[in-house]
Amino acid sequence: MTEEQMNYPSTSTINKRYAGFWMRFWAYLVDLIIVFSINGILLVPLKFINDGFSMELGYWTITGIIGSIVFYLYFLLMTKYFNQTLGKMIFGLRVIREDSQSLRWSDLLFREVVGRFIHRVFFITVFLYLFVAFGAQKQGIHDMIGNTRVVIEE
């Protein structure tokens, strides 16, 4: 009988140490500094266009749209190709799938785009990050949506 047939968790999921709230918080702050720096470099030239006035596209400004795209692409691409962002690298954290297989685009689109969008758009949902502090596997809502976990690298 194989391990899957016996319905035992694999040893790779037993030995995982899940990253807690504060480690993830500090890593996220580092990531925000990096994203804001990238946006600053990319968006400064737009201040010299249109005599310094913001260019609007409906309800949004061009700088707001570009800044949002950079924000979501940073988290999406870094997590897809490295399983971690620069902030997570500094603090020794890694994003894994629930079943410990390699991350798929669909997992990351739900985790990094849909999950983060929900947290940023609705003010009250910021408090849902507290799930990380009190959950057994330290999952935020965006982790639950994407079927992912954040673990400490060993």
Side-chain angles (χ1 to χ4, degrees):
M1 191 179 268
T2 66
E3 187 176 1
E4 293 172 343
Q5 292 170 331
M6 294 178 8
N7 291 325
Y8 290 121
S10 68
T11 55
S12 64
T13 58
I14 292 173
N15 297 327
K16 299 291 181 202
R17 287 187 23 215
Y18 298 108
F21 176 81
W22 289 110
M23 289 290 285
R24 292 176 66 171
F25 173 79
W26 293 117
Y28 183 66
L29 281 181
V30 169
D31 289 328
L32 286 181
I33 291 169
I34 292 166
V35 169
F36 291 155
S37 299
I38 293 169
N39 278 335
I41 292 167
L42 292 177
L43 300 177
V44 163
L46 294 178
K47 289 184 178 181
F48 298 106
I49 299 173
N50 201 27
D51 292 328
F53 294 104
S54 62
M55 295 180 293
E56 296 180 3
L57 188 63
Y59 292 108
W60 303 285
T61 62
I62 298 297
T63 56
I65 293 169
I66 293 170
S68 295
I69 290 170
V70 168
F71 176 84
Y72 290 114
L73 281 179
Y74 169 80
F75 284 99
L76 180 68
L77 296 176
M78 288 294 295
T79 306
K80 174 61 180 166
Y81 292 112
F82 300 104
N83 289 22
Q84 54 195 162
T85 59
L86 292 172
K88 286 183 179 71
M89 287 179 192
I90 291 169
F91 287 92
L93 308 178
R94 180 174 294 279
V95 178
I96 61 168
R97 272 181 50 136
E98 195 171 41
D99 58 7
S100 296
Q101 295 190 9
S102 61
L103 293 168
R104 297 185 310 218
W105 282 108
S106 59
D107 301 325
L108 294 174
L109 283 173
F110 280 103
R111 180 185 198 277
E112 300 296 347
V113 178
V114 174
R116 289 192 191 279
F117 180 79
I118 290 170
H119 281 301
R120 290 178 65 97
V121 168
F122 305 109
F123 172 73
I124 194 76
T125 57
V126 167
F127 297 108
L128 294 178
Y129 277 114
L130 292 176
F131 277 92
V132 174
F134 300 108
Q137 294 183 345
K138 309 292 186 195
Q139 283 182 288
I141 297 300
H142 60 295
D143 291 313
M144 293 176 193
I145 291 171
N147 295 321
T148 59
R149 308 285 188 275
V150 178
V151 295
I152 299 171
E153 287 186 311
E154 295 186 31

